[in-house]
Amino acid sequence: MLDKAFKRNRLSATLAAILGVGAIPLAWAADDATPAADGVVAAQNGSEETIEVIEIRGIRGSLYRSMDLKRGANGVVDAISAEELGKFPDTNLAESLQRITGVTVSRANGEGSQITVRGFGPEFNLITLNGRQMPGTGYTRSYNLENLSSEGVKTLEVVKTARADVPTGGLGGTVNIVTHKPLDNPGQAFTFSGKGIYDESNVHGDDVTPELAAIYSNTLFDDRFGVLVSVSHQERDFQQQTANSQGWIAQTDNGRLPTLAGDKGIDGRETDADGNPIARFRDAEGNAVAPFFFPRDMNFSINDVERERTNGMVTLQFVATDNLILTADYVATRALTASNGFGWGIWNSSTDGSPVIGYELDANGTALYSDIRGGDGSFTANRNTTEVNAESVGLNIDWSPNEAWRFTLDYHNSSNEIDNGADKGLGSDGQVILGSDKLISKVYDYRTGEVPHFLINWNNGTHVLDAGDIDSNFSQFIHSPGESEIEQVQFNTNWYPEFSEHLVKVDFGAAYTKQTMSGTSAWSGLRGGPGFNPSYAEIFPDAMFVLQDASGLLDALGGGGSALMPDYYYTYNFDEAVARQLAFITPEIAGDNYYSIDPYFDGIDSATLVEEKTLALYLTTQWGFDIGNVPVNVNLGLRYEQTDASSTVKQRVESQVVWASPTEWIMQYAPGGDDNYFTQGGDYDVWLPMLDISAEPLEDIVVRFSAGKTIARPLLGDMVAGRNLSGSPKIGARRGSLGNPGLLPLESVNLDLSFEYYYGDASYASVGLFKKYADNYVSQKTTQLTIEGLHDVYNSPRYQEAISQLEAAGTPVSENSIFAQMIANGHGNADGQIVPLASDPLIVWDITSPFNSDSKTVQGIELALQHVFGETGFGVGVNGTFVEGDVTYDPYSLAPQNPLSGIGDSANFQAFYEKDGLSVKLTYAWRDSYLIGVGQSQGSADAPPQFAKTFGQLDASINYDVNEHLTVFFEGINLNNETEEGYGRFEEQFLFARQYGSRYSLGARVRF
């Protein structure tokens, strides 16, 4: 992959060995030297001369190798190299990748997980392992890097420009994970490391958890057979503290916003001469509007997490003849994440203005303060155990019959499964929600601090709910396993022609890839009432609930800690709450609403399968010549791919939507859904040309130009055939989706121009300009549809009658009072639910579907400086990426939008000292605010955005070599206790804040 278009002579081979440049992966077939030469230079060009190899280890050695890979590459490539066998710069591969210019990470559980390259998010980048395309984690194209340990990794290569001989899918970039191989380093080597991890956020888990890793490599029979085994196991216990709002509701009818006296109703929007808010927004039809926004809910949570990760790798290599090498490898990962937590919060059944009795809106119409009738307050216990199992089996045959030809055949079968039902007792992801709707109103306040507060005015005249009033709201149990699998065969031919002085190398080959992505989903529905209808408060004794102090929560954020409101919450035993509801809320008592923890009690809700088969052919040529005194290298290539895609789905048939309680609406389904399978498909082909030119006009100055075409395949969720409607279609959330298996891939024409100055040992400066013209951009269109048979209780004649009766009686109108009035009017069934009538209006659904639409452009600049201060031991590395394009989100438009998620500026800083066995490294990774995605789980139908605030994390490590065999080390992660925060259209529309704290490791590494 990282080949230079020139033939090696004795001097270049010697220098490469001295610098510790290792093997290029066999599957990528990129180096003109045979794999047997990796780490062995005694037989270069038939010579018997033995050349002494000086291995440069540590931080400086890693920088040497990474710089050499960058300088010798075709196109724009950046890399991170292991400091030594079994020692990578970061314990997490995603954390290492964020050190590379143009690469940023998104986080899961406080660790780097997925990458964004040059503004293109995880689904637009490709992860390969030794040149082999890796399946996404579960039912997705995105690979979670936190599940792969770093001990067996030799190099991380990020290719940012097009390559004809590389699997497609990396529109932003392709990350190749290069593992160690035994023939890389002939002889025997063993490294073992152990450390204890202390996570300051941990409360209920072990204070110190272990991480153990070992890697053994050996070559036998005159270095003709090699074996390498790598194993690692990590455990981590921590606590996640979160504040969260599930979404914001936009309302454009200002007539629904009550006019309140005094400071009860403050509207900060600018008004016209008639006192009406000035319309600064545009709706979906392009009309000028002046909306106001209220939060759907607000809640806090504490989750105690136990995480285990085990990795194993075995690689066997055999030199069958002097020109035939066989390599077999197996890589396995098992990651288990268990979470137990509690949450507490408020729910606003309606935010359209009618139940509002107090508010303060800012200039954009966002509610900084609200006091709303109806809804409920709840306390949630949740339990989840998710298991990820990934395997990859591969075989590589490398044959060089003579100096002019080299053939490689590579096969692998790789799978990645995820199962959120790994809890053996529960078998699903479970939530038990208890609480009460015995309240007057709920107050939301975000006028100060970084975290909103809320208070509930309970009927008891206080802000604290009596334990005796806690009732069953609902429970739900979800099981949604998924799997992604890739079977791939790649054949490559390298030809080194001797008839031309300038044509250095010709590569041509073919590849066949079959990728399947499947998943099922089962949902128990809302069990145990739901929505306090009917009441089951008597089954929960007061002693079951423990009043907890919330004053220590989110203390790293303004408004958190001792200032947090509410300053209490209730906890209870998850198993006891389930057992009591199973015992008392039986079919005899509750009819069809009986309590069940089985997500499959009425069968599988949905099953989906997406299959892609791709045949690829490619040709590349490498040229080397001089223009005047300037050496020039050219890489010219073309790749052709033909893909057949199909989607098979099973779905239940919707029968009706019932109003089950004041706060809950439930979709009911017709029986016999097991036969509802159907398949849709599509196909496409693409031609992907590429051109790389590099020149050295002055000594140590390299100029590069690259042009090429890359693709990213459609997102899985967009390709799934069939229609999907919300199972809990609350008012303002009657949404659905319609897939499109015939979507074309996103195609991008890419231009790169870079200037690199290699002015010293492990020191360089570079400037890179890039621009991407992306076509076939996938947009979402939302249309309003009615579906025959799905009638709506909301705004029906019975509903309007109840409102009129309440207004006549002077009773405040809210969902709670409307529901109670309709029940009093005799419109409830035997279960206390309100069922739609055939005379009721049809529900209006907002159905979103994807389609290939317009083109987008992204451009940016990358700056990098790496400098080693002579022999002082000090060094620094600084890089920054600044990206822009016509892919941003317009917060003043209520029309559905299709911006590019992940785009934003980033920068990294590294300073180190390494001398006399002591190395100290300090790193800081900064990422500007960026768009996470479009759509909020409980946001309005305009699909509002989710933005992440600026994030910066400080890490440090200290290593000391006691002797040549023993190193002790200390690591500190997130030393500045950075938090993760997110918002909607504006920063005042709070979405989340997460706090993990800092963690520290102390350990030792032994090597022989």
Side-chain angles (χ1 to χ4, degrees):
M1 172 183 171
L2 300 178
D3 50 314
K4 187 73 173 177
F6 58 82
K7 296 181 180 179
R8 282 189 178 174
N9 55 28
R10 177 77 58 84
L11 176 60
S12 64
T14 304
L15 289 175
I18 292 174
L19 291 176
V21 179
I24 303 307
L26 301 182
W28 290 52
D31 201 320
D32 57 328
T34 64
D38 295 340
V40 181
V41 294
Q44 288 286 341
N45 294 331
S47 172
E48 299 297 328
E49 178 185 355
T50 299
I51 301 175
E52 181 181 2
V53 176
I54 302 174
E55 181 185 8
I56 304 176
R57 299 189 312 191
I59 299 173
R60 187 161 180 161
S62 174
L63 296 179
Y64 264 121
R65 290 185 288 274
S66 298
M67 186 184 76
D68 193 68
L69 287 169
K70 178 179 179 69
R71 183 172 185 173
N74 284 317
V76 180
V77 177
D78 283 291
I80 292 181
S81 177
E83 296 181 9
E84 58 186 77
L85 184 69
K87 173 67 169 66
F88 214 70
D90 296 273
T91 59
N92 180 300
L93 293 183
E95 300 285 353
S96 292
L97 282 168
Q98 74 175 339
R99 316 294 181 204
I100 288 180
T101 310
V103 179
T104 55
V105 302
S106 56
R107 286 176 159 74
N109 297 319
E111 298 182 52
S113 175
Q114 298 178 337
I115 63 166
T116 293
V117 181
R118 291 180 162 183
F120 287 85
E123 64 273 18
F124 299 114
N125 301 302
L126 184 69
I127 304 295
T128 62
L129 181 67
N130 295 320
R132 300 162 174 167
Q133 182 177 342
M134 286 293 101
T137 303
Y139 187 58
T140 176
R141 294 190 191 276
S142 303
Y143 191 90
N144 291 350
L145 288 162
E146 82 271 16
N147 293 329
L148 190 63
S149 68
S150 62
E151 276 71 26
V153 176
K154 177 181 180 181
T155 309
L156 291 175
E157 305 164 347
V158 180
V159 183
K160 302 174 184 177
T161 50
R163 292 295 303 266
D165 56 347
V166 172
T168 56
L171 187 150
T174 298
V175 177
N176 187 36
I177 304 170
V178 183
T179 60
H180 288 284
K181 294 180 176 61
L183 296 184
D184 289 353
N185 297 287
Q188 180 172 260
F190 174 72
T191 298
F192 173 82
S193 65
K195 62 183 176 182
I197 304 173
Y198 170 74
D199 196 311
E200 68 176 16
S201 71
N202 176 65
V203 175
H204 296 293
D206 294 333
D207 290 334
V208 179
T209 55
E211 180 173 341
L212 305 174
I215 182 169
Y216 173 78
S217 178
N218 198 3
T219 55
L220 308 168
F221 310 115
D222 295 326
D223 298 332
R224 301 187 70 86
F225 177 78
V227 57
L228 183 145
V229 178
S230 173
V231 294
S232 67
H233 178 77
Q234 181 199 69
E235 298 179 15
R236 179 186 167 209
D237 295 347
F238 61 96
Q239 185 177 87
Q240 179 197 69
Q241 299 179 3
T242 303
N244 183 71
S245 176
Q246 295 184 82
W248 286 78
I249 309 299
Q251 174 59 253
T252 58
D253 183 2
N254 283 281
R256 303 186 69 93
L257 186 66
T259 301
L260 304 175
D263 60 357
K264 288 291 185 180
I266 300 175
D267 192 339
R269 293 176 293 178
E270 187 177 356
T271 58
D272 58 21
D274 297 324
N276 299 314
I278 294 176
R280 301 188 182 278
F281 292 73
R282 296 281 177 178
D283 65 13
E285 286 72 40
N287 302 313
V289 292
F292 56 89
F293 304 88
F294 282 93
R296 174 64 84 182
D297 68 346
M298 181 63 207
N299 58 80
F300 300 102
S301 65
I302 295 176
N303 289 290
D304 293 298
V305 184
E306 297 179 6
R307 177 171 166 79
E308 296 182 5
R309 184 192 69 198
T310 304
N311 295 105
M313 179 176 65
V314 178
T315 302
L316 304 175
Q317 288 187 291
F318 176 54
V319 183
T321 67
D322 289 343
N323 52 21
L324 178 63
I325 300 176
L326 306 179
T327 302
D329 53 69
Y330 174 74
V331 180
T333 296
R334 179 179 183 267
L336 197 67
T337 305
S339 173
N340 287 275
F342 286 94
W344 59 101
I346 57 175
W347 173 263
N348 295 318
S349 300
S350 175
T351 55
D352 64 359
S354 56
V356 175
I357 58 177
Y359 60 86
E360 180 178 338
L361 307 181
D362 70 2
N364 288 316
T366 298
L368 304 177
Y369 167 89
S370 65
D371 192 355
I372 301 178
R373 292 191 300 263
D376 59 58
S378 296
F379 304 95
T380 301
N382 60 76
R383 176 175 296 174
N384 168 267
T385 301
T386 297
E387 182 175 10
V388 175
N389 284 290
E391 290 184 307
S392 180
V393 179
L395 175 65
N396 184 275
I397 302 174
D398 189 304
W399 181 44
S400 300
N402 52 51
E403 292 185 357
W405 292 92
R406 178 181 178 187
F407 304 95
T408 57
L409 178 65
D410 190 85
Y411 168 82
H412 78 104
N413 187 292
S414 303
S415 63
N416 203 326
E417 303 177 25
I418 187 169
D419 183 3
N420 68 337
D423 186 302
K424 302 306 180 184
L426 195 60
S428 64
D429 181 349
Q431 275 188 324
V432 177
I433 303 178
L434 309 179
S436 177
D437 60 356
K438 304 296 189 296
L439 53 82
I440 301 169
S441 68
K442 309 168 303 301
V443 174
Y444 168 91
D445 194 347
Y446 194 27
R447 292 175 293 188
T448 60
E450 298 174 283
V451 180
H453 294 169
F454 73 84
L455 290 173
I456 301 178
N457 296 309
W458 296 104
N459 285 350
N460 62 17
T462 73
H463 299 310
V464 180
L465 180 65
D466 294 330
D469 289 332
I470 298 179
D471 196 358
S472 171
N473 190 349
F474 64 85
S475 299
Q476 60 179 341
F477 303 89
I478 301 171
H479 188 212
S480 52
E483 179 180 8
S484 180
E485 182 178 4
I486 289 179
E487 187 174 15
Q488 187 175 53
V489 179
Q490 300 180 92
F491 175 75
N492 184 74
T493 299
N494 304 137
W495 176 37
Y496 303 89
E498 298 180 352
F499 65 84
S500 173
E501 178 183 356
H502 303 299
L503 179 59
V504 178
K505 181 181 177 185
V506 178
D507 289 351
F508 55 92
Y512 173 79
T513 304
K514 179 183 177 182
Q515 182 170 14
T516 58
M517 294 151 285
S518 59
T520 60
S521 178
W523 178 46
S524 66
L526 306 182
R527 318 309 300 173
F532 319 108
N533 178 44
S535 174
Y536 296 109
E538 68 276 4
I539 72 175
F540 305 112
D542 292 4
M544 175 177 158
F545 302 102
V546 180
L547 188 68
Q548 304 283 358
D549 181 7
S551 61
L553 183 72
L554 297 168
D555 56 2
L557 294 159
S562 60
L564 192 70
M565 295 297 290
D567 57 1
Y568 84 99
Y569 63 101
Y570 281 109
T571 59
Y572 49 89
N573 184 275
F574 183 97
D575 293 325
E576 181 181 358
V578 167
R580 288 183 174 276
Q581 293 178 92
L582 283 172
F584 290 100
I585 309 178
T586 62
E588 293 75 19
I589 298 296
D592 291 341
N593 288 319
Y594 70 93
Y595 197 82
S596 173
I597 65 172
D598 182 11
Y600 295 94
F601 81 99
D602 63 348
I604 296 176
D605 293 337
S606 67
T608 57
L609 170 68
V610 175
E611 183 177 83
E612 292 176 338
K613 297 178 180 178
T614 299
L615 176 64
L617 303 171
Y618 64 87
L619 170 69
T620 66
T621 60
Q622 296 185 33
W623 305 77
F625 49 86
D626 292 339
I627 298 179
N629 294 322
V630 177
V632 177
N633 296 292
V634 176
N635 187 21
L636 181 64
L638 178 66
R639 186 180 184 94
Y640 169 78
E641 288 195 347
Q642 199 278 330
T643 298
D644 293 313
S646 64
S647 172
T648 301
V649 299
K650 168 193 173 293
Q651 290 182 308
R652 294 189 295 178
V653 177
E654 304 91 352
S655 62
Q656 65 178 2
V657 174
V658 301
W659 195 6
S661 73
T663 59
E664 298 301 332
W665 298 72
I666 299 177
M667 177 72 78
Q668 294 183 340
Y669 301 89
D674 289 342
D675 298 327
N676 296 324
Y677 282 93
F678 62 98
T679 300
Q680 290 180 290
D683 62 83
Y684 54 86
D685 58 0
V686 292
W687 293 89
L688 305 173
M690 51 80 60
L691 169 68
D692 293 321
I693 302 174
S694 64
E696 192 168 342
L698 298 173
E699 185 177 4
D700 297 326
I701 293 180
V702 177
V703 180
R704 302 181 194 275
F705 172 77
S706 294
K709 191 175 183 181
T710 54
I711 67 169
R713 303 188 189 277
L715 304 185
L716 289 181
D718 292 339
M719 293 182 65
V720 173
R723 185 190 68 207
N724 180 45
L725 300 178
S726 171
S728 180
K730 298 177 175 65
I731 298 172
R734 273 81 184 275
R735 295 193 290 272
S737 61
L738 186 65
N740 182 1
L743 286 172
L744 298 175
L746 181 63
E747 300 180 11
S748 177
V749 174
N750 315 306
L751 300 177
D752 282 81
L753 179 64
S754 66
F755 304 88
E756 302 158 10
Y757 177 34
Y758 299 90
Y759 60 87
D761 291 342
S763 299
Y764 76 92
S766 68
V767 177
L769 305 173
F770 63 88
K771 189 159 190 173
K772 295 178 179 288
Y773 301 87
D775 200 7
N776 289 336
Y777 196 81
V778 177
S779 297
Q780 303 287 333
K781 59 182 177 182
T782 301
T783 56
Q784 291 191 325
L785 299 176
T786 58
I787 298 170
E788 190 64 33
L790 297 183
H791 294 271
D792 202 350
V793 174
Y794 175 64
N795 274 337
S796 66
R798 297 174 294 163
Y799 190 95
Q800 295 297 334
E801 177 191 35
I803 292 177
S804 298
Q805 292 170 338
L806 292 170
E807 291 175 343
T811 303
V813 177
S814 67
E815 273 70 14
N816 299 58
S817 60
I818 297 172
F819 186 88
Q821 185 64 44
M822 292 185 69
I823 294 293
N825 290 344
H827 299 308
N829 62 12
D831 295 324
Q833 301 175 338
I834 302 174
V835 178
L837 303 176
S839 58
D840 290 340
L842 294 174
I843 297 176
V844 178
W845 298 89
D846 293 305
I847 305 295
T848 301
S849 57
F851 67 101
N852 291 111
S853 62
D854 54 354
S855 301
K856 305 286 186 180
T857 60
V858 174
Q859 59 271 338
I861 182 171
E862 296 178 336
L863 307 173
L865 172 66
Q866 179 176 295
H867 183 75
V868 174
F869 294 92
E871 301 300 321
T872 65
F874 289 98
V876 296
V878 183
N879 66 63
T881 304
F882 307 93
V883 189
E884 63 179 12
D886 58 356
V887 290
T888 56
Y889 189 93
D890 180 6
Y892 291 96
S893 172
L894 300 184
Q897 301 179 54
N898 300 281
L900 181 64
S901 60
I903 190 169
D905 300 335
S906 62
N908 295 282
F909 174 82
Q910 174 178 270
F912 69 89
Y913 173 81
E914 184 177 53
K915 199 170 186 180
D916 300 327
L918 174 66
S919 69
V920 180
K921 182 170 62 177
L922 189 70
T923 58
Y924 182 77
W926 174 85
R927 185 176 188 180
D928 200 3
S929 59
Y930 66 95
L931 179 71
I932 300 172
V934 174
Q936 300 167 4
S937 61
Q938 292 296 333
S940 47
D942 53 286
Q946 299 181 54
F947 285 98
K949 284 189 177 181
T950 300
F951 182 92
Q953 179 172 302
L954 179 66
D955 303 331
S957 65
I958 302 174
N959 289 258
Y960 179 68
D961 295 332
V962 178
N963 52 48
E964 62 177 328
H965 299 297
L966 176 63
T967 299
V968 293
F969 59 86
F970 171 82
E971 299 167 343
I973 308 297
N974 193 23
L975 296 177
N976 56 330
N977 194 15
E978 180 68 296
T979 57
E980 302 171 16
E981 300 177 66
Y983 57 94
R985 293 180 179 275
F986 311 101
E987 290 196 17
E988 292 76 17
Q989 294 183 6
F990 176 88
L991 287 180
F992 65 83
R994 305 182 189 118
Q995 179 176 317
Y996 293 94
S998 306
R999 61 185 186 272
Y1000 308 91
S1001 300
L1002 181 64
R1005 182 178 298 104
V1006 179
R1007 56 182 176 269
F1008 297 98

